[in-house]
Amino acid sequence: NAGVTQTPKFQVLKTGQSMTLQCAQDMNHNSMYWYRQDPGMGLRLIYYSASEGTTDKGEVPNGYNVSRLNKREFSLRLESAAPSQTSVYFCASTRTGNTEAFFGQGTRLTVV
Amino acid sequence: SQQGEEDPQALSIQEGENATMNCSYKTSINNLQWYRQNSGRGLVHLILIRSNEREKHSGRLRVTLDTSKKSSSLLITASRAADTASYFCATDGGSNYKLTFGKGTLLTVNP
């Protein structure tokens, strides 16, 4: 099993460009999450999806949108990238909300 | 704001010593989890302790939970250089869905 797969691994964007970060899990998990990790800030929750068909805002949702395409896939979209969105983005999934989370390897995004 | 806060922010020890990290949180929880992150990688789950448990062991890891103080500790015994990583606590805030992490403790184990 691949677990949680994120694409791309690295990306450089210019300010104002848009892009979608892809995440897929093959563990039949119900809940999926997007986090960003910045130095000294730990992981901050952007959006989460408790189950297929539902999404909710986390701690830092501004500037992002998400789509829970199906049970496997949860994408994160930046409509107009800003330098403040330079970060490492992690996708995670859990069987239910309060059980062990499995993480992808991360997407390192730089906005110039 | 983040639910969990680890203490200390950084810890440097010699191989063979024990390492203790603490986590404080703000609201009620169903469980508390600890994760490890090696540099440049994703987080890996270490151990989960439920709110009705006080202590749990897994190999060289020992976790305690004090719900009255809203705090937890992670003890790594007989540390190895390979234990060098950042360690995070994570809580669900009682919501069953929203898993939030603290800022982490950077552990350095010197050979």
Side-chain angles (χ1 to χ4, degrees):
Chain A
N1 286 343
V4 179
T5 302
Q6 289 183 235
T7 55
K9 289 186 170 55
F10 301 93
Q11 184 71 49
V12 178
L13 289 178
K14 293 182 179 179
T15 297
Q17 287 185 319
S18 62
M19 80 162 294
T20 299
L21 282 64
Q22 306 287 353
C23 175
Q25 51 90 10
D26 61 3
M27 296 171 284
N28 202 35
H29 283 173
N30 292 312
S31 303
M32 298 185 74
Y33 307 80
W34 276 105
Y35 295 90
R36 61 178 289 174
Q37 185 175 32
D38 303 292
M41 298 297 292
L43 278 82
R44 292 182 292 170
L45 183 63
I46 304 172
Y47 270 94
Y48 66 103
S49 172
S51 60
E52 185 179 357
T54 68
T55 61
D56 285 284
K57 295 178 180 179
E59 184 185 354
V60 288
N62 291 344
Y64 306 95
N65 286 303
V66 290
S67 294
R68 183 74 183 268
L69 304 170
N70 47 53
K71 192 170 187 179
R72 290 187 64 247
E73 299 173 286
F74 188 39
S75 63
L76 178 72
R77 184 162 178 82
L78 287 70
E79 291 291 350
S80 179
S84 61
Q85 294 178 306
T86 292
S87 188
V88 181
Y89 291 85
F90 288 100
C91 177
S93 69
T94 62
R95 181 169 51 83
T96 63
N98 58 358
T99 56
E100 174 185 355
F102 291 79
F103 279 80
Q105 289 301 299
T107 296
R108 188 172 295 275
L109 175 67
T110 302
V111 183
V112 297
Chain B
S1 61
Q2 287 168 284
Q3 167 75 315
E5 294 289 341
E6 292 88 348
D7 170 63
Q9 290 185 355
L11 180 62
S12 182
I13 60 174
Q14 297 298 123
E15 218 167 17
E17 294 180 339
N18 296 342
T20 299
M21 288 157 272
N22 302 297
C23 170
S24 60
Y25 57 92
K26 297 174 183 175
T27 65
S28 62
I29 60 172
N30 294 306
N31 64 52
L32 185 143
Q33 303 178 44
W34 286 91
Y35 289 78
R36 183 186 74 227
Q37 183 182 35
N38 290 94
S39 181
R41 308 297 296 273
L43 279 72
V44 174
H45 181 264
L46 294 176
I47 193 166
L48 179 153
I49 186 166
R50 302 194 187 285
S51 59
N52 60 355
E53 297 175 312
R54 291 297 167 258
E55 187 170 313
K56 199 163 183 180
H57 297 254
S58 177
R60 293 185 294 113
L61 305 180
R62 173 183 163 234
V63 171
T64 62
L65 179 64
D66 186 336
T67 53
S68 66
K69 295 182 179 178
K70 292 187 169 57
S71 68
S72 173
S73 68
L74 171 66
L75 169 67
I76 303 174
T77 60
S79 62
R80 307 165 181 168
D83 294 328
T84 294
S86 291
Y87 292 82
F88 295 86
C89 67
T91 58
D92 55 34
S95 73
N96 288 330
Y97 296 109
K98 196 171 171 180
L99 198 60
T100 58
F101 288 77
K103 297 180 181 180
T105 292
L106 176 59
L107 173 66
T108 302
V109 182
N110 301 299

